[in-house]
Amino acid sequence: MADARGGDLRARRGRATLGHVHPSFGPQVGLPWLARLRWIALTGQLVAVAAARAAFDEQPRWAPVLGALAAGAASNLWLARRLRDRPADPEAARVMGGVLALDVLLLTALLATSGGPTNPLSILYLVYVALAAVVLGPSWTAALALGAVAGFAALFALPVETADHAHHAHGGRFASHLYEMWLAFTLAAALVAYFLRKIAATIAEQREQIARLREGAARSARLAAITTLAAGAAHELGSPLGTISVAAREVELAAARLPGADAIREDMRLILAEVERCDAILGKLSAPADPAGDLRGARVDELEGPLRARLGAARARHVSVAVAGAAAGLRVPREHLLQSLAALVQNALDASAEGAPVAVRFDADGASLRVDVEDRGAGMPAEVLAHAGDPFFTTKEPGRGLGLGLFLARACAESLGGSLSLESRAGEGTRATLTLPRAGLEAACPT
Protein backbone atom coordinates (compact mmCIF):
# COMPACT_ATOMS: atom_id res chain seq x y z
CA MET A 1 0.00 0.00 0.00
CA ALA A 2 1.27 3.46 -0.72
CA ASP A 3 0.03 5.17 2.41
CA ALA A 4 2.69 4.02 4.86
CA ARG A 5 2.55 1.04 2.54
CA GLY A 6 1.62 -1.13 5.30
CA GLY A 7 3.35 -3.73 7.30
CA ASP A 8 2.00 -6.69 9.08
CA LEU A 9 -0.48 -5.16 11.52
CA ARG A 10 -1.67 -8.42 12.94
CA ALA A 11 -1.86 -8.53 16.68
CA ARG A 12 0.99 -10.86 17.51
CA ARG A 13 -0.58 -12.84 20.21
CA GLY A 14 1.51 -14.65 22.80
CA ARG A 15 1.28 -18.28 21.78
CA ALA A 16 2.73 -21.15 23.69
CA THR A 17 3.78 -22.81 20.46
CA LEU A 18 6.29 -25.59 20.16
CA GLY A 19 9.61 -24.35 21.45
CA HIS A 20 8.54 -20.75 22.02
CA VAL A 21 7.59 -18.78 25.09
CA HIS A 22 7.18 -15.15 25.85
CA PRO A 23 10.55 -13.37 25.48
CA SER A 24 10.26 -11.65 28.87
CA PHE A 25 11.14 -14.93 30.63
CA GLY A 26 12.49 -17.01 27.78
CA PRO A 27 15.90 -18.56 27.14
CA GLN A 28 17.57 -15.21 26.43
CA VAL A 29 16.83 -14.14 30.00
CA GLY A 30 17.16 -17.60 31.54
CA LEU A 31 20.64 -18.50 30.26
CA PRO A 32 22.67 -16.09 32.47
CA TRP A 33 20.57 -17.09 35.44
CA LEU A 34 21.10 -20.79 34.66
CA ALA A 35 24.88 -20.30 34.47
CA ARG A 36 24.93 -18.86 38.00
CA LEU A 37 22.60 -21.57 39.29
CA ARG A 38 24.83 -24.31 37.90
CA TRP A 39 27.85 -23.01 39.80
CA ILE A 40 25.80 -23.19 43.00
CA ALA A 41 24.57 -26.69 42.11
CA LEU A 42 28.08 -27.98 41.35
CA THR A 43 29.35 -26.62 44.64
CA GLY A 44 26.41 -28.16 46.48
CA GLN A 45 26.97 -31.55 44.86
CA LEU A 46 30.63 -31.56 45.82
CA VAL A 47 29.78 -30.60 49.41
CA ALA A 48 27.06 -33.29 49.55
CA VAL A 49 29.44 -36.03 48.41
CA ALA A 50 32.08 -34.93 50.91
CA ALA A 51 29.50 -34.75 53.70
CA ALA A 52 28.19 -38.22 52.91
CA ARG A 53 31.71 -39.59 53.09
CA ALA A 54 32.39 -37.91 56.43
CA ALA A 55 29.05 -38.50 58.14
CA PHE A 56 27.95 -41.87 56.80
CA ASP A 57 31.29 -43.45 55.99
CA GLU A 58 30.23 -43.69 52.36
CA GLN A 59 33.03 -44.41 49.93
CA PRO A 60 31.96 -43.13 46.52
CA ARG A 61 34.02 -43.95 43.48
CA TRP A 62 35.91 -40.69 43.35
CA ALA A 63 37.10 -40.93 39.75
CA PRO A 64 33.60 -40.88 38.15
CA VAL A 65 32.34 -38.40 40.76
CA LEU A 66 35.12 -35.92 40.09
CA GLY A 67 34.83 -36.59 36.36
CA ALA A 68 31.13 -35.71 36.38
CA LEU A 69 31.74 -32.56 38.41
CA ALA A 70 34.62 -31.56 36.12
CA ALA A 71 32.42 -32.07 33.07
CA GLY A 72 29.76 -29.85 34.63
CA ALA A 73 32.31 -27.14 35.46
CA ALA A 74 33.82 -27.27 31.96
CA SER A 75 30.40 -26.99 30.32
CA ASN A 76 29.56 -24.01 32.54
CA LEU A 77 32.82 -22.28 31.63
CA TRP A 78 31.90 -22.79 27.98
CA LEU A 79 28.41 -21.41 28.66
CA ALA A 80 29.83 -18.33 30.45
CA ARG A 81 32.14 -17.63 27.52
CA ARG A 82 29.31 -18.00 25.03
CA LEU A 83 27.17 -15.59 27.04
CA ARG A 84 30.02 -13.08 27.01
CA ASP A 85 30.59 -13.41 23.27
CA ARG A 86 26.88 -13.59 22.30
CA PRO A 87 24.75 -11.50 24.66
CA ALA A 88 21.79 -11.92 22.27
CA ASP A 89 22.11 -15.56 21.25
CA PRO A 90 19.63 -16.60 18.52
CA GLU A 91 20.08 -20.24 19.58
CA ALA A 92 19.49 -19.60 23.27
CA ALA A 93 16.68 -22.17 23.51
CA ARG A 94 18.79 -24.90 21.92
CA VAL A 95 21.80 -24.08 24.11
CA MET A 96 19.74 -24.03 27.29
CA GLY A 97 17.99 -27.27 26.43
CA GLY A 98 21.32 -28.94 25.68
CA VAL A 99 22.82 -27.74 28.96
CA LEU A 100 19.87 -29.04 30.97
CA ALA A 101 20.04 -32.39 29.15
CA LEU A 102 23.74 -32.61 30.04
CA ASP A 103 22.89 -31.84 33.66
CA VAL A 104 20.41 -34.74 33.69
CA LEU A 105 23.16 -37.08 32.44
CA LEU A 106 25.68 -35.77 34.99
CA LEU A 107 23.20 -36.15 37.83
CA THR A 108 22.57 -39.74 36.74
CA ALA A 109 26.30 -40.40 36.83
CA LEU A 110 26.66 -38.88 40.30
CA LEU A 111 23.70 -40.85 41.67
CA ALA A 112 25.06 -44.06 40.16
CA THR A 113 28.26 -43.65 42.19
CA SER A 114 26.60 -42.67 45.46
CA GLY A 115 23.61 -44.80 46.31
CA GLY A 116 21.86 -45.23 42.97
CA PRO A 117 18.06 -45.25 43.27
CA THR A 118 18.32 -45.14 47.07
CA ASN A 119 19.95 -41.69 46.96
CA PRO A 120 17.33 -39.09 48.01
CA LEU A 121 19.03 -36.48 45.79
CA SER A 122 17.29 -38.13 42.82
CA ILE A 123 14.53 -35.56 43.49
CA LEU A 124 16.84 -33.02 41.80
CA TYR A 125 15.74 -34.44 38.45
CA LEU A 126 12.53 -32.48 38.93
CA VAL A 127 14.49 -29.22 39.12
CA TYR A 128 15.62 -29.61 35.51
CA VAL A 129 12.12 -30.55 34.38
CA ALA A 130 10.70 -27.49 36.14
CA LEU A 131 13.31 -25.17 34.59
CA ALA A 132 12.50 -26.47 31.12
CA ALA A 133 8.76 -26.09 31.70
CA VAL A 134 9.10 -22.46 32.78
CA VAL A 135 11.75 -21.23 30.34
CA LEU A 136 11.67 -23.54 27.32
CA GLY A 137 8.89 -24.82 25.10
CA PRO A 138 6.85 -28.01 25.37
CA SER A 139 9.18 -30.04 23.15
CA TRP A 140 12.19 -29.45 25.38
CA THR A 141 10.06 -29.93 28.49
CA ALA A 142 8.83 -33.31 27.27
CA ALA A 143 12.34 -34.37 26.22
CA LEU A 144 13.87 -33.48 29.58
CA ALA A 145 11.02 -35.10 31.51
CA LEU A 146 11.53 -38.32 29.55
CA GLY A 147 15.29 -38.02 30.06
CA ALA A 148 14.86 -37.63 33.82
CA VAL A 149 12.52 -40.64 34.00
CA ALA A 150 14.95 -42.71 31.90
CA GLY A 151 17.91 -41.60 34.00
CA PHE A 152 16.18 -42.61 37.21
CA ALA A 153 15.20 -45.95 35.65
CA ALA A 154 18.81 -46.52 34.52
CA LEU A 155 19.95 -46.40 38.16
CA PHE A 156 18.18 -49.71 38.74
CA ALA A 157 20.17 -51.39 35.98
CA LEU A 158 23.60 -49.96 36.80
CA PRO A 159 25.91 -51.95 39.08
CA VAL A 160 25.57 -49.83 42.23
CA GLU A 161 27.11 -51.36 45.33
CA THR A 162 25.08 -49.43 47.87
CA ALA A 163 21.84 -50.39 46.19
CA ASP A 164 22.90 -54.07 46.14
CA HIS A 165 23.70 -53.99 49.84
CA ALA A 166 20.33 -52.45 50.59
CA HIS A 167 18.60 -55.03 48.44
CA HIS A 168 20.28 -57.96 50.27
CA ALA A 169 19.64 -56.37 53.64
CA HIS A 170 15.94 -55.75 53.19
CA GLY A 171 14.90 -58.24 50.59
CA GLY A 172 12.32 -57.89 47.88
CA ARG A 173 10.12 -55.48 49.79
CA PHE A 174 12.74 -52.77 49.61
CA ALA A 175 13.30 -53.34 45.89
CA SER A 176 9.56 -53.12 45.37
CA HIS A 177 9.52 -49.87 47.32
CA LEU A 178 12.24 -48.44 45.06
CA TYR A 179 10.26 -49.29 41.93
CA GLU A 180 7.20 -47.66 43.45
CA MET A 181 9.34 -44.59 44.08
CA TRP A 182 10.26 -44.59 40.40
CA LEU A 183 6.61 -44.76 39.36
CA ALA A 184 5.78 -41.92 41.75
CA PHE A 185 8.67 -39.92 40.35
CA THR A 186 7.43 -40.51 36.79
CA LEU A 187 3.99 -39.23 37.73
CA ALA A 188 5.48 -36.21 39.54
CA ALA A 189 7.68 -35.34 36.55
CA ALA A 190 4.68 -35.48 34.20
CA LEU A 191 2.54 -33.33 36.50
CA VAL A 192 5.29 -30.77 37.08
CA ALA A 193 5.97 -30.48 33.35
CA TYR A 194 2.28 -30.18 32.45
CA PHE A 195 1.18 -27.69 35.07
CA LEU A 196 4.25 -25.48 34.87
CA ARG A 197 3.88 -25.31 31.09
CA LYS A 198 0.25 -24.30 31.56
CA ILE A 199 1.25 -21.62 34.07
CA ALA A 200 4.03 -20.32 31.81
CA ALA A 201 1.70 -20.17 28.82
CA THR A 202 -0.96 -18.37 30.86
CA ILE A 203 1.54 -15.80 32.12
CA ALA A 204 2.81 -15.28 28.58
CA GLU A 205 -0.72 -14.72 27.30
CA GLN A 206 -1.46 -12.27 30.10
CA ARG A 207 1.70 -10.32 29.33
CA GLU A 208 0.73 -10.15 25.69
CA GLN A 209 -2.78 -9.00 26.58
CA ILE A 210 -1.36 -6.25 28.78
CA ALA A 211 0.99 -5.21 25.98
CA ARG A 212 -1.89 -5.10 23.50
CA LEU A 213 -4.01 -3.05 25.89
CA ARG A 214 -1.17 -0.59 26.38
CA GLU A 215 -0.62 -0.39 22.64
CA GLY A 216 -4.33 0.20 22.07
CA ALA A 217 -4.39 2.91 24.73
CA ALA A 218 -1.39 4.59 23.14
CA ARG A 219 -3.07 4.51 19.72
CA SER A 220 -6.26 5.93 21.19
CA ALA A 221 -4.28 8.71 22.80
CA ARG A 222 -2.56 9.49 19.49
CA LEU A 223 -5.91 9.48 17.70
CA ALA A 224 -7.39 11.82 20.30
CA ALA A 225 -4.38 14.12 19.96
CA ILE A 226 -4.73 14.15 16.17
CA THR A 227 -8.45 14.87 16.42
CA THR A 228 -7.81 17.72 18.85
CA LEU A 229 -5.08 19.11 16.63
CA ALA A 230 -7.31 18.84 13.57
CA ALA A 231 -10.21 20.59 15.27
CA GLY A 232 -7.92 23.41 16.38
CA ALA A 233 -6.32 23.67 12.96
CA ALA A 234 -9.71 23.74 11.22
CA HIS A 235 -10.90 26.48 13.54
CA GLU A 236 -7.74 28.58 13.31
CA LEU A 237 -7.17 28.15 9.58
CA GLY A 238 -10.78 28.31 8.43
CA SER A 239 -11.08 32.10 8.63
CA PRO A 240 -7.73 32.90 6.94
CA LEU A 241 -8.45 30.43 4.17
CA GLY A 242 -11.89 31.96 3.67
CA THR A 243 -10.34 35.41 3.46
CA ILE A 244 -7.74 34.22 0.95
CA SER A 245 -10.48 32.56 -1.12
CA VAL A 246 -12.62 35.74 -1.22
CA ALA A 247 -9.65 37.94 -2.05
CA ALA A 248 -8.45 35.60 -4.79
CA ARG A 249 -11.95 35.50 -6.29
CA GLU A 250 -12.13 39.31 -6.31
CA VAL A 251 -8.73 39.58 -7.99
CA GLU A 252 -9.78 36.97 -10.58
CA LEU A 253 -12.93 38.93 -11.40
CA ALA A 254 -11.01 42.20 -11.61
CA ALA A 255 -8.38 40.63 -13.86
CA ALA A 256 -11.12 39.39 -16.18
CA ARG A 257 -11.96 43.01 -17.02
CA LEU A 258 -8.34 43.94 -17.79
CA PRO A 259 -6.72 43.23 -21.14
CA GLY A 260 -3.60 41.07 -21.01
CA ALA A 261 -4.26 39.86 -17.43
CA ASP A 262 -4.69 36.19 -18.30
CA ALA A 263 -1.59 35.23 -16.29
CA ILE A 264 -3.02 36.90 -13.19
CA ARG A 265 -6.33 35.06 -13.64
CA GLU A 266 -4.49 31.74 -13.89
CA ASP A 267 -2.54 32.50 -10.72
CA MET A 268 -5.76 33.30 -8.87
CA ARG A 269 -7.36 30.08 -10.05
CA LEU A 270 -4.33 28.18 -8.78
CA ILE A 271 -4.66 29.89 -5.40
CA LEU A 272 -8.35 29.01 -5.23
CA ALA A 273 -7.61 25.38 -6.12
CA GLU A 274 -5.00 25.16 -3.38
CA VAL A 275 -7.39 26.72 -0.87
CA GLU A 276 -9.97 24.10 -1.76
CA ARG A 277 -7.36 21.38 -1.28
CA CYS A 278 -6.50 22.77 2.15
CA ASP A 279 -10.20 22.78 3.04
CA ALA A 280 -10.49 19.15 1.96
CA ILE A 281 -7.46 18.15 4.06
CA LEU A 282 -8.86 19.90 7.11
CA GLY A 283 -12.20 18.21 6.51
CA LYS A 284 -10.56 14.78 6.48
CA LEU A 285 -8.57 15.53 9.60
CA SER A 286 -11.57 16.78 11.53
CA ALA A 287 -13.93 14.00 10.40
CA PRO A 288 -15.23 11.96 13.31
CA ALA A 289 -13.11 8.86 13.88
CA ASP A 290 -15.28 6.94 16.31
CA PRO A 291 -17.33 4.34 14.42
CA ALA A 292 -19.20 3.48 17.60
CA GLY A 293 -20.93 6.82 17.23
CA ASP A 294 -22.04 6.15 13.65
CA LEU A 295 -25.53 4.67 13.96
CA ARG A 296 -26.30 4.88 10.23
CA GLY A 297 -25.87 1.35 9.08
CA ALA A 298 -25.90 -0.10 5.58
CA ARG A 299 -25.86 -3.57 4.09
CA VAL A 300 -22.54 -4.74 2.72
CA ASP A 301 -24.02 -5.18 -0.75
CA GLU A 302 -25.01 -1.49 -0.72
CA LEU A 303 -21.43 -0.22 -0.34
CA GLU A 304 -20.07 -0.71 -3.85
CA GLY A 305 -21.80 2.31 -5.40
CA PRO A 306 -20.78 4.82 -2.69
CA LEU A 307 -17.25 3.42 -2.69
CA ARG A 308 -16.88 3.92 -6.43
CA ALA A 309 -18.31 7.45 -6.11
CA ARG A 310 -15.64 8.32 -3.55
CA LEU A 311 -12.88 6.97 -5.77
CA GLY A 312 -14.07 8.80 -8.88
CA ALA A 313 -14.93 7.29 -12.23
CA ALA A 314 -11.36 7.35 -13.56
CA ARG A 315 -9.97 5.29 -10.67
CA ALA A 316 -13.05 3.19 -9.93
CA ARG A 317 -12.93 1.41 -13.27
CA HIS A 318 -9.73 -0.35 -12.17
CA VAL A 319 -11.39 -1.70 -9.01
CA SER A 320 -13.35 -4.95 -8.87
CA VAL A 321 -15.71 -5.61 -5.96
CA ALA A 322 -16.94 -9.08 -5.01
CA VAL A 323 -19.41 -9.81 -2.21
CA ALA A 324 -19.82 -13.37 -1.00
CA GLY A 325 -23.35 -14.42 -0.25
CA ALA A 326 -22.76 -14.79 3.48
CA ALA A 327 -21.54 -11.19 3.73
CA ALA A 328 -24.14 -9.45 1.57
CA GLY A 329 -26.80 -8.93 4.24
CA LEU A 330 -24.54 -7.87 7.11
CA ARG A 331 -25.06 -4.34 8.39
CA VAL A 332 -21.99 -2.17 8.92
CA PRO A 333 -21.33 1.45 10.03
CA ARG A 334 -21.63 2.98 6.57
CA GLU A 335 -19.59 6.17 6.66
CA HIS A 336 -16.68 4.92 8.67
CA LEU A 337 -16.29 1.65 6.80
CA LEU A 338 -16.48 3.56 3.50
CA GLN A 339 -13.83 5.97 4.78
CA SER A 340 -11.53 3.07 5.71
CA LEU A 341 -12.14 1.20 2.46
CA ALA A 342 -11.62 4.28 0.32
CA ALA A 343 -8.29 4.92 2.05
CA LEU A 344 -7.13 1.33 1.56
CA VAL A 345 -8.21 1.25 -2.10
CA GLN A 346 -6.61 4.63 -2.82
CA ASN A 347 -3.38 3.35 -1.31
CA ALA A 348 -3.59 0.19 -3.41
CA LEU A 349 -4.14 2.20 -6.60
CA ASP A 350 -1.27 4.55 -5.75
CA ALA A 351 1.03 1.57 -5.15
CA SER A 352 0.08 -0.09 -8.45
CA ALA A 353 1.18 0.59 -11.99
CA GLU A 354 -1.09 2.77 -14.11
CA GLY A 355 -4.22 0.79 -15.01
CA ALA A 356 -3.35 -2.19 -12.80
CA PRO A 357 -6.36 -3.84 -11.15
CA VAL A 358 -7.23 -3.71 -7.47
CA ALA A 359 -9.58 -6.33 -6.01
CA VAL A 360 -11.94 -5.79 -3.08
CA ARG A 361 -13.66 -8.85 -1.63
CA PHE A 362 -16.21 -9.13 1.19
CA ASP A 363 -16.63 -12.49 2.90
CA ALA A 364 -18.08 -13.64 6.21
CA ASP A 365 -18.28 -16.61 8.50
CA GLY A 366 -20.23 -17.19 11.66
CA ALA A 367 -18.01 -14.90 13.74
CA SER A 368 -16.78 -12.04 11.59
CA LEU A 369 -16.80 -10.05 8.36
CA ARG A 370 -13.58 -10.10 6.35
CA VAL A 371 -12.73 -7.45 3.77
CA ASP A 372 -9.66 -7.94 1.54
CA VAL A 373 -8.14 -5.18 -0.59
CA GLU A 374 -5.44 -6.62 -2.83
CA ASP A 375 -3.13 -5.05 -5.40
CA ARG A 376 -0.33 -6.28 -7.62
CA GLY A 377 1.98 -3.35 -7.01
CA ALA A 378 5.61 -3.15 -6.00
CA GLY A 379 5.08 -4.45 -2.47
CA MET A 380 6.91 -3.13 0.58
CA PRO A 381 10.47 -3.38 1.87
CA ALA A 382 11.09 -4.45 5.45
CA GLU A 383 12.07 -0.99 6.64
CA VAL A 384 8.64 0.34 5.65
CA LEU A 385 6.86 -2.48 7.48
CA ALA A 386 8.33 -1.36 10.79
CA HIS A 387 6.45 1.97 10.58
CA ALA A 388 3.14 0.59 9.37
CA GLY A 389 0.19 2.52 10.72
CA ASP A 390 2.25 5.31 12.28
CA PRO A 391 0.35 8.59 11.97
CA PHE A 392 1.75 10.96 9.33
CA PHE A 393 4.15 8.31 8.01
CA THR A 394 3.87 7.98 4.24
CA THR A 395 5.99 7.00 1.26
CA LYS A 396 3.95 9.15 -1.10
CA GLU A 397 5.35 12.26 -2.68
CA PRO A 398 4.78 15.51 -0.76
CA GLY A 399 1.26 16.80 -1.23
CA ARG A 400 -0.24 13.42 -2.20
CA GLY A 401 -1.07 12.10 1.24
CA LEU A 402 -0.99 12.75 4.98
CA GLY A 403 -0.06 9.27 6.14
CA LEU A 404 -3.29 8.88 8.11
CA GLY A 405 -5.24 6.40 5.98
CA LEU A 406 -3.90 3.22 7.59
CA PHE A 407 -3.88 4.75 11.04
CA LEU A 408 -7.56 5.72 10.87
CA ALA A 409 -8.58 2.45 9.18
CA ARG A 410 -6.85 0.51 11.92
CA ALA A 411 -8.46 2.67 14.62
CA CYS A 412 -11.86 2.07 13.02
CA ALA A 413 -11.35 -1.71 12.94
CA GLU A 414 -10.09 -1.93 16.51
CA SER A 415 -12.89 0.22 17.89
CA LEU A 416 -15.26 -2.44 16.53
CA GLY A 417 -13.21 -5.17 18.20
CA GLY A 418 -11.51 -6.18 14.95
CA SER A 419 -8.12 -5.73 13.33
CA LEU A 420 -6.31 -4.57 10.22
CA SER A 421 -3.54 -6.74 8.83
CA LEU A 422 -1.34 -6.19 5.80
CA GLU A 423 0.61 -8.87 3.97
CA SER A 424 3.22 -7.86 1.45
CA ARG A 425 6.35 -8.98 -0.30
CA ALA A 426 8.54 -6.79 -2.42
CA GLY A 427 7.57 -7.21 -6.07
CA GLU A 428 4.43 -9.24 -5.32
CA GLY A 429 1.93 -6.65 -4.18
CA THR A 430 0.03 -6.08 -0.95
CA ARG A 431 -3.15 -7.42 0.61
CA ALA A 432 -4.93 -5.45 3.33
CA THR A 433 -7.47 -7.35 5.44
CA LEU A 434 -10.09 -5.82 7.70
CA THR A 435 -11.51 -8.38 10.12
CA LEU A 436 -14.62 -7.12 11.92
CA PRO A 437 -16.45 -9.31 14.46
CA ARG A 438 -20.19 -9.58 14.04
CA ALA A 439 -20.73 -8.61 17.67
CA GLY A 440 -18.95 -5.30 17.12
CA LEU A 441 -20.91 -4.59 13.95
CA GLU A 442 -24.22 -5.32 15.66
CA ALA A 443 -23.30 -3.01 18.54
CA ALA A 444 -22.35 -0.20 16.13
CA CYS A 445 -25.46 -0.64 13.93
CA PRO A 446 -28.43 -1.52 16.17
CA THR A 447 -31.55 -2.38 14.22
Side-chain angles (χ1 to χ4, degrees), residues 9 34 36 50 66 93 95 100 104 112 172 175-176 221 237 244 271 278 300 343 345 370 374 412 436 441:
L9 300 180
L34 177 62
R36 293 190 293 270
L66 294 178
V95 171
L100 290 175
V104 170
S176 175
L237 296 177
I244 293 172
I271 291 174
C278 290
V300 168
V345 175
R370 176 187 172 104
E374 188 169 2
C412 174
L436 307 174
L441 296 175

Side-chain angles (χ1 to χ4, degrees), residues 1-73:
M1 295 303 204
D3 184 347
R5 303 245 301 253
D8 190 354
L9 300 180
R10 283 194 187 89
R12 295 179 179 174
R13 307 178 67 86
R15 296 181 177 91
T17 52
L18 200 64
H20 294 83
V21 294
H22 192 276
S24 61
F25 56 96
Q28 292 283 5
V29 176
L31 265 181
W33 178 73
L34 177 62
R36 293 190 293 270
L37 181 64
R38 293 183 83 224
W39 286 125
I40 298 174
L42 288 169
T43 303
Q45 289 168 355
L46 183 60
V47 170
V49 172
R53 181 178 184 276
F56 304 105
D57 196 27
E58 292 283 351
Q59 296 296 327
R61 295 191 294 273
W62 284 104
V65 168
L66 294 178
L69 293 175

Side-chain angles (χ1 to χ4, degrees), residues 9 23 29 54 58 64 76 91 109 169 189 204 218 243 247 279 313 321 327 380 385 398 408 435 441:
L9 300 180
V29 176
E58 292 283 351
N76 217 35
E91 298 183 348
T243 302
D279 281 335
V321 178
M380 300 165 290
L385 303 182
L408 294 176
T435 303
L441 296 175

Side-chain angles (χ1 to χ4, degrees), residues 259-283:
D262 292 342
I264 297 176
R265 293 177 62 192
E266 289 299 322
D267 289 342
M268 293 304 103
R269 289 172 182 169
L270 177 60
I271 291 174
L272 289 170
E274 292 301 305
V275 168
E276 289 178 1
R277 192 167 73 88
C278 290
D279 281 335
I281 291 173
L282 290 175

Side-chain angles (χ1 to χ4, degrees), residues 353-371:
E354 185 68 28
V358 169
V360 179
R361 177 174 176 80
F362 296 85
D363 203 350
D365 55 27
S368 61
L369 169 68
R370 176 187 172 104
V371 188

Side-chain angles (χ1 to χ4, degrees), residues 122-198:
S122 58
I123 196 67
L124 293 179
Y125 280 121
L126 291 179
V127 174
Y128 304 122
V129 177
L131 286 174
V134 171
V135 181
L136 299 174
S139 56
W140 275 112
T141 302
L144 286 166
L146 291 174
V149 171
F152 198 175
L155 298 177
F156 291 87
L158 295 174
V160 183
E161 294 180 3
T162 53
D164 290 342
H165 290 162
H167 173 76
H168 291 306
H170 297 279
R173 286 186 302 169
F174 187 75
S176 175
H177 172 69
L178 290 178
Y179 285 114
E180 290 170 357
M181 284 179 56
W182 177 80
L183 291 175
F185 172 82
T186 301
L187 178 61
L191 291 175
V192 166
Y194 176 78
F195 284 109
L196 284 182
R197 277 303 311 159
K198 285 289 186 181

Side-chain angles (χ1 to χ4, degrees), residues 274-371:
E274 292 301 305
V275 168
E276 289 178 1
R277 192 167 73 88
C278 290
D279 281 335
I281 291 173
L282 290 175
K284 290 180 181 179
L285 282 174
S286 58
D290 180 14
D294 180 9
L295 300 180
R296 291 178 300 165
R299 288 166 51 101
V300 168
D301 56 7
E302 298 171 348
L303 297 179
E304 180 177 356
L307 176 61
R308 293 186 179 278
R310 294 193 180 207
L311 297 173
R315 309 205 85 186
R317 69 170 179 267
H318 304 298
V319 178
S320 64
V321 178
V323 180
L330 290 180
R331 292 187 65 80
V332 295
R334 183 182 185 277
E335 291 303 317
H336 287 91
L337 186 55
L338 282 173
Q339 181 182 2
S340 299
L341 285 177
L344 295 176
V345 175
Q346 293 280 16
N347 292 341
L349 290 168
D350 290 341
S352 303
E354 185 68 28
V358 169
V360 179
R361 177 174 176 80
F362 296 85
D363 203 350
D365 55 27
S368 61
L369 169 68
R370 176 187 172 104
V371 188

